[in-house]
Amino acid sequence: MRTTAWIASLALLAGAPGAAHAHLVNSGLGPFYNGTLHLLLSPSDCLAVLAVGLLAGQGGKASARAAAITLPLAWGGAVLAGLTLERAAEPGWLEVALLILLGVSVAAGVRLPAWVLAPVAVLIGIVHGLETAGALVDSDGALVAVAGIATAVAVLTLLTGALAVSLQAAWTRVALQVGGSWIAAVEMLMLGWILQGIS
Amino acid sequence: MKSASRPLVLWLACALLLIGLGPAPALAHESQPGLLELRQLTAGSSEQTWEVLWRAPIYYGQPHPARLQLPAAWQPVAEPTLQRLLSSELHRQLVRIGPETLDGSSIGFPGLEQTITDVFVRVTRLDGTESSQLVRPTKPQATLRGERPWSQSAVEYLALGFHHILLGIDHLLFVLGLLVIVRGVRALVQTITAFTVAHSITLALATLGYASIPAPPLNAAIALSILFLGPEIVRVWRGQTSFTIRHPWVVAFGFGLLHGFGFASGLSTVGMPRAEIPLALLMFNVGVELGQLAFVGLILLLHRALRVLEFRWPRWAELGPAYLIGTLGAYWTLQRTVMML
């Protein structure tokens, strides 16, 4: 019962950024930090980076390296593309479905080689980057903010991937898989809400 | 730091460079706070006269975009005056307000939200009581409320110090250069401690008014400290040694004294209640240290992550950080020297 409550709370948080951060967060420290903070305060984006990092780290060093390079580049590129097209994607079932897939893969202990993981990271980056672009429309210093977002994605992916790679003890691997199952559970709840038109 | 971490510095330096792309022309000035002083001149039973001094720092070479918006009930006594100073514009105005209507009044700073400028608001009454508060770009308005608990001021000054170091790209680049040079945990602790002690000394001396250095030569000297580290980093990569490489804490202490004067520019004590100065100084410094520790911690974490993931870099990329830091140091030194002429 307590676990269900936690998952529901996390799902609420994960669903919040779409509405709460329709505009770029103002850190009072300029557009670079605005971009960084925007990512860190968007639970759905953080979950996406976490999921990719954990899955990549589970696949080994080469996969983690591939994710640390491709995810921020795709994310940043998609934000720029979204700004250029002046069209931002709404958070939807595709974003949630992809995260469920990633969470389940982490929970199942799937080990993806780098050549498979890289396109997955690119896809996640594009989907979330296009959504992020919506917050940057009409923002001052949007290009610097994109750099802040991409830097935050790179740092988080790198740290998460390295953490997952360095987990050697059996119980830590299990903990990692449990983390994946939580991501999947949160996103399943989100998907249910989206399908019922609640979110 | 050992070899695997070196390319990380390139990434970080690039990110820091991006932060600084906008501020490049004057760099060291843009995080200077603004200051709004309200001084009571007369106390009548029906109305009071107050002097309003709004010191708006020059922002990227232009007048500051933030405006001062006084409450509609405050009646201007005469036309406001404007005095252009070297690093700020001083707006002066006299206003009449009703008795006991100051507390609870709200003063706005439209346009502040688009900047990185904090504003000190200080109120001095005829009865000798003083109060101050800090306005941030995230909430560009001040509600005047007389005396406030010291803990509230302490948190504001701590945040101010933390923000000041995060915006100080030149200070962070210097710390980054030191991190690349030092070898081993002991040397790291010695070096960071020496830098901290040194800049705390001069920050205190400058804030308390015992010593000062004019901003233009100070900023040029800080840039020179970054330029100084560039060749030292190249020496480390080539396996050579030098006094700086053997004793980085000495260099950290020496240049740290300069950087402390730079930190002092972020803490204006003009018009600050005297009793509040020690608290402001302490908490501002603690904020600076926390920001510095967070930066060092992040770099060490990334260093560790890159080693775990065994990133391999081409030779030119490994040498990039040294040349980037050296080039930036040289550029800023020249730029700030030219600005003095």
Short mmCIF file of all heavy atoms in Angstrom, two decimals, chain B residues 11 29 31 38-39 48 61 64 67 70-71 113 120 125 141 182 185 204 233 238-240 266 288 308 313:
data_model
loop_
_atom_site.label_atom_id
_atom_site.label_comp_id
_atom_site.label_asym_id
_atom_site.label_seq_id
_atom_site.Cartn_x
_atom_site.Cartn_y
_atom_site.Cartn_z
N TRP B 11 35.69 19.81 -21.56
CA TRP B 11 34.22 19.89 -21.55
C TRP B 11 33.74 20.97 -20.58
O TRP B 11 32.90 21.79 -20.90
CB TRP B 11 33.61 18.55 -21.14
CG TRP B 11 33.58 17.56 -22.24
CD1 TRP B 11 34.49 16.57 -22.49
CD2 TRP B 11 32.59 17.45 -23.26
NE1 TRP B 11 34.13 15.87 -23.60
CE2 TRP B 11 32.95 16.38 -24.10
CE3 TRP B 11 31.42 18.17 -23.56
CZ2 TRP B 11 32.21 16.00 -25.20
CZ3 TRP B 11 30.68 17.79 -24.65
CH2 TRP B 11 31.06 16.71 -25.46
N HIS B 29 32.04 42.77 -13.85
CA HIS B 29 31.16 43.78 -13.28
C HIS B 29 29.71 43.35 -13.20
O HIS B 29 28.96 43.89 -12.40
CB HIS B 29 31.21 45.05 -14.14
CG HIS B 29 32.58 45.64 -14.23
ND1 HIS B 29 33.18 46.26 -13.18
CD2 HIS B 29 33.47 45.66 -15.24
CE1 HIS B 29 34.39 46.67 -13.54
NE2 HIS B 29 34.59 46.31 -14.78
N SER B 31 27.90 40.97 -12.18
CA SER B 31 27.23 40.41 -11.02
C SER B 31 27.26 41.39 -9.84
O SER B 31 26.92 41.02 -8.73
CB SER B 31 27.87 39.08 -10.63
OG SER B 31 29.23 39.26 -10.36
N LEU B 38 16.65 53.99 1.24
CA LEU B 38 15.54 54.87 1.63
C LEU B 38 15.92 55.52 2.96
O LEU B 38 16.14 54.81 3.96
CB LEU B 38 14.25 54.05 1.80
CG LEU B 38 13.77 53.25 0.58
CD1 LEU B 38 12.60 52.37 0.95
CD2 LEU B 38 13.37 54.19 -0.54
N ARG B 39 16.06 56.85 2.94
CA ARG B 39 16.47 57.56 4.16
C ARG B 39 15.36 58.52 4.56
O ARG B 39 14.94 59.35 3.77
CB ARG B 39 17.74 58.36 3.90
CG ARG B 39 18.97 57.51 3.75
CD ARG B 39 20.21 58.44 3.68
NE ARG B 39 21.30 57.74 3.02
CZ ARG B 39 22.16 58.31 2.19
NH1 ARG B 39 22.04 59.59 1.89
NH2 ARG B 39 23.13 57.62 1.64
N GLN B 48 5.57 62.21 5.96
CA GLN B 48 7.02 62.11 6.16
C GLN B 48 7.71 62.35 4.82
O GLN B 48 7.13 62.06 3.77
CB GLN B 48 7.38 60.70 6.64
CG GLN B 48 6.67 60.26 7.89
CD GLN B 48 6.91 58.78 8.19
OE1 GLN B 48 7.40 58.03 7.34
NE2 GLN B 48 6.54 58.38 9.40
N GLY B 61 27.76 47.30 -20.23
CA GLY B 61 28.09 48.56 -20.89
C GLY B 61 26.90 49.47 -21.14
O GLY B 61 27.05 50.54 -21.71
N HIS B 64 21.23 50.00 -16.77
CA HIS B 64 20.59 48.77 -16.31
C HIS B 64 19.13 48.70 -16.78
O HIS B 64 18.41 49.71 -16.73
CB HIS B 64 20.64 48.68 -14.78
CG HIS B 64 20.48 47.30 -14.28
ND1 HIS B 64 19.25 46.69 -14.19
CD2 HIS B 64 21.39 46.38 -13.88
CE1 HIS B 64 19.43 45.46 -13.72
NE2 HIS B 64 20.72 45.25 -13.52
N ARG B 67 13.94 49.05 -13.83
CA ARG B 67 13.47 50.36 -13.42
C ARG B 67 13.02 50.28 -11.96
O ARG B 67 12.76 49.19 -11.44
CB ARG B 67 12.26 50.80 -14.27
CG ARG B 67 12.60 51.08 -15.72
CD ARG B 67 11.37 51.56 -16.47
NE ARG B 67 10.33 50.54 -16.55
CZ ARG B 67 9.18 50.59 -15.87
NH1 ARG B 67 8.92 51.60 -15.07
NH2 ARG B 67 8.28 49.64 -16.00
N LEU B 70 8.06 52.89 -7.57
CA LEU B 70 7.65 53.18 -6.20
C LEU B 70 6.13 53.06 -6.07
O LEU B 70 5.41 53.16 -7.07
CB LEU B 70 8.09 54.60 -5.83
CG LEU B 70 9.61 54.85 -5.84
CD1 LEU B 70 9.91 56.33 -5.59
CD2 LEU B 70 10.31 53.97 -4.81
N PRO B 71 5.64 52.87 -4.86
CA PRO B 71 4.17 52.77 -4.67
C PRO B 71 3.47 54.04 -5.16
O PRO B 71 4.02 55.15 -5.02
CB PRO B 71 4.02 52.63 -3.16
CG PRO B 71 5.32 52.09 -2.69
CD PRO B 71 6.36 52.65 -3.59
N GLU B 113 13.98 40.90 -13.65
CA GLU B 113 13.86 39.45 -13.87
C GLU B 113 14.62 38.98 -15.11
O GLU B 113 14.89 37.79 -15.26
CB GLU B 113 12.38 39.05 -13.97
CG GLU B 113 11.63 39.56 -15.18
CD GLU B 113 11.17 41.00 -15.06
OE1 GLU B 113 11.49 41.64 -14.04
OE2 GLU B 113 10.53 41.49 -16.00
N PHE B 120 20.23 45.22 -3.11
CA PHE B 120 20.09 45.44 -1.67
C PHE B 120 19.10 46.57 -1.45
O PHE B 120 19.20 47.61 -2.11
CB PHE B 120 21.43 45.86 -1.05
CG PHE B 120 22.45 44.76 -1.00
CD1 PHE B 120 23.49 44.72 -1.90
CD2 PHE B 120 22.36 43.78 -0.04
CE1 PHE B 120 24.43 43.72 -1.85
CE2 PHE B 120 23.30 42.76 0.02
CZ PHE B 120 24.34 42.73 -0.89
N ARG B 125 15.76 55.05 9.30
CA ARG B 125 14.75 55.95 9.86
C ARG B 125 15.40 56.99 10.77
O ARG B 125 16.52 56.79 11.25
CB ARG B 125 13.71 55.15 10.65
CG ARG B 125 12.90 54.21 9.78
CD ARG B 125 12.20 53.16 10.62
NE ARG B 125 11.89 51.97 9.84
CZ ARG B 125 10.75 51.74 9.23
NH1 ARG B 125 9.77 52.61 9.30
NH2 ARG B 125 10.56 50.66 8.53
N GLN B 141 10.62 42.28 -6.49
CA GLN B 141 9.94 43.30 -5.71
C GLN B 141 10.25 43.13 -4.23
O GLN B 141 10.56 42.03 -3.77
CB GLN B 141 8.43 43.28 -5.95
CG GLN B 141 7.71 42.06 -5.43
CD GLN B 141 6.21 42.22 -5.62
OE1 GLN B 141 5.77 42.59 -6.69
NE2 GLN B 141 5.45 41.96 -4.58
N VAL B 182 47.05 19.90 -9.39
CA VAL B 182 47.38 19.19 -8.14
C VAL B 182 47.40 17.68 -8.33
O VAL B 182 46.66 17.13 -9.15
CB VAL B 182 46.39 19.53 -6.99
CG1 VAL B 182 46.51 20.97 -6.60
CG2 VAL B 182 44.97 19.18 -7.36
N VAL B 185 45.29 13.54 -3.04
CA VAL B 185 44.25 14.10 -2.18
C VAL B 185 44.82 15.14 -1.22
O VAL B 185 44.26 16.21 -1.02
CB VAL B 185 43.56 12.97 -1.37
CG1 VAL B 185 42.54 13.54 -0.38
CG2 VAL B 185 42.90 11.98 -2.31
N ALA B 204 37.32 39.79 3.86
CA ALA B 204 37.01 40.45 5.13
C ALA B 204 37.62 41.86 5.17
O ALA B 204 36.97 42.82 5.56
CB ALA B 204 37.53 39.61 6.29
N ILE B 233 49.69 24.00 -16.71
CA ILE B 233 48.94 22.79 -17.06
C ILE B 233 49.66 22.06 -18.21
O ILE B 233 49.77 20.82 -18.21
CB ILE B 233 47.49 23.14 -17.45
CG1 ILE B 233 46.77 23.80 -16.26
CG2 ILE B 233 46.72 21.90 -17.88
CD1 ILE B 233 45.42 24.39 -16.61
N ARG B 238 53.27 17.49 -20.05
CA ARG B 238 54.55 17.08 -20.63
C ARG B 238 55.41 16.34 -19.62
O ARG B 238 56.54 15.96 -19.93
CB ARG B 238 55.31 18.31 -21.13
CG ARG B 238 54.69 18.89 -22.39
CD ARG B 238 55.46 20.12 -22.83
NE ARG B 238 54.89 20.67 -24.06
CZ ARG B 238 55.09 21.91 -24.49
NH1 ARG B 238 55.86 22.72 -23.78
NH2 ARG B 238 54.55 22.33 -25.61
N GLY B 239 54.92 16.20 -18.41
CA GLY B 239 55.67 15.49 -17.39
C GLY B 239 56.76 16.33 -16.76
O GLY B 239 57.64 15.81 -16.08
N GLN B 240 56.73 17.64 -17.04
CA GLN B 240 57.74 18.52 -16.45
C GLN B 240 57.28 18.98 -15.06
O GLN B 240 56.16 18.69 -14.65
CB GLN B 240 57.95 19.74 -17.36
CG GLN B 240 58.45 19.37 -18.74
CD GLN B 240 58.38 20.55 -19.72
OE1 GLN B 240 57.74 21.55 -19.45
NE2 GLN B 240 59.05 20.39 -20.85
N GLY B 266 30.86 41.67 -4.80
CA GLY B 266 29.49 41.14 -4.79
C GLY B 266 28.75 41.45 -3.50
O GLY B 266 27.57 41.15 -3.37
N VAL B 288 30.00 31.49 -0.59
CA VAL B 288 31.06 31.35 -1.60
C VAL B 288 31.75 29.99 -1.45
O VAL B 288 31.99 29.28 -2.44
CB VAL B 288 32.09 32.50 -1.46
CG1 VAL B 288 33.35 32.22 -2.27
CG2 VAL B 288 31.48 33.83 -1.91
N VAL B 308 35.97 5.62 -14.77
CA VAL B 308 35.23 4.35 -14.75
C VAL B 308 34.84 3.93 -16.17
O VAL B 308 34.95 2.77 -16.54
CB VAL B 308 33.96 4.49 -13.87
CG1 VAL B 308 33.01 3.32 -14.08
CG2 VAL B 308 34.36 4.57 -12.39
N TRP B 313 40.71 9.86 -25.55
CA TRP B 313 40.66 11.11 -26.29
C TRP B 313 41.90 11.26 -27.17
O TRP B 313 42.98 10.81 -26.79
CB TRP B 313 40.60 12.29 -25.32
CG TRP B 313 39.42 12.25 -24.41
CD1 TRP B 313 39.28 11.49 -23.29
CD2 TRP B 313 38.19 12.95 -24.56
NE1 TRP B 313 38.05 11.69 -22.72
CE2 TRP B 313 37.37 12.59 -23.49
CE3 TRP B 313 37.72 13.88 -25.49
CZ2 TRP B 313 36.09 13.10 -23.32
CZ3 TRP B 313 36.46 14.40 -25.32
CH2 TRP B 313 35.65 14.01 -24.24
#
